[in-house]
Amino acid sequence: VEVPCVNFDNRSGVRLLIDHLIQVHNRRRIAFLQGPEGNQDSEQREQCYREALDAHGIRFDPLLVARGGFNEPGGQDAVEQLLGMQVPFDAVFSGDDEAAIGTISALRNVGLRVPEDVAVVGFDDLPVVRHLNPPLTTVRAPIEQAGFQAATQLFRLLETGEAELNTLLPVELVIRQSCGCK
């Protein structure tokens, strides 16, 4: 069934994040926190994460992937799981900002400093993340614009029987201190 949908440019956003961690901060052991199972954004972000590592000659390590669930408790649990398995990592790409908040909490609970010991980045640019200590480096996804576009396509479909099948919205890298930038 062809259903109109509005998506974010996950490929570009993830590539910007991973490139920044590798090229600017020399991070090589980047953990990835997945979203809920079956979530399209999570699956796309993981695929792009793997492609970005490969583009830098970094071999994908499945031990560096954990399910963060796109929520704060899930992010905290996922990082605690990685720490408990003693998997070495120097950065965490949380598939969304809420999981990144849980990530920072889990790291602090064991005495690790962000970003000195572990860089943390997210995705979405929720309003609260600029107020974290340190403020979160993330990808700004235009969530309100996505809602507007979805409603516009729905009304167009109802009125004319036609709509754009796939609207891809651009994203933007937002550099803050959690990655190691000042």
Side-chain angles (χ1 to χ4, degrees), residues 8 141-150 169:
F8 301 117
I143 295 169
E144 289 179 7
Q145 185 181 358
F148 177 79
Q149 288 292 329
L169 298 177

Side-chain angles (χ1 to χ4, degrees), residues 33 66 74-84 89 92 99 102-103 106-107:
L33 302 190
Q76 184 166 348
D77 291 346
V79 171
E80 288 172 354
Q81 174 188 340
L82 291 172
L83 292 166
F89 56 91
V92 177
T103 294
L107 294 169

Side-chain angles (χ1 to χ4, degrees), residues 45-147:
R45 290 172 192 171
E46 182 174 352
Q47 182 60 38
C48 297
Y49 157 80
R50 290 176 182 225
E51 291 170 2
L53 292 177
D54 187 56
H56 289 279
I58 298 173
R59 197 168 137 240
F60 170 73
D61 183 348
L63 294 177
L64 289 173
V65 177
R67 188 151 314 276
F70 283 178
N71 60 65
E72 187 175 339
Q76 184 166 348
D77 291 346
V79 171
E80 288 172 354
Q81 174 188 340
L82 291 172
L83 292 166
M85 293 177 2
Q86 298 184 337
V87 176
F89 56 91
D90 57 12
V92 177
F93 165 34
S94 295
D96 82 319
D97 289 348
E98 288 189 41
I101 294 169
T103 294
I104 291 170
S105 185
L107 294 169
R108 284 200 175 129
N109 287 344
V110 296
L112 292 172
R113 299 167 300 153
V114 176
E116 295 85 356
D117 300 319
V118 179
V120 177
V121 298
F123 204 106
D124 290 330
D125 196 28
L126 298 176
V128 69
V129 300
R130 71 189 71 160
H131 303 293
L132 296 175
N133 184 17
L136 184 69
T137 293
T138 187
V139 170
R140 180 174 295 135
I143 295 169
E144 289 179 7
Q145 185 181 358

Side-chain angles (χ1 to χ4, degrees), residues 17 20 120-122 135-139 173-179:
L17 274 175
H20 182 79
V120 177
V121 298
L136 184 69
T137 293
T138 187
V139 170
L173 180 62
V174 180
I175 301 292
R176 297 191 181 105
Q177 288 81 23
S178 69
C179 63

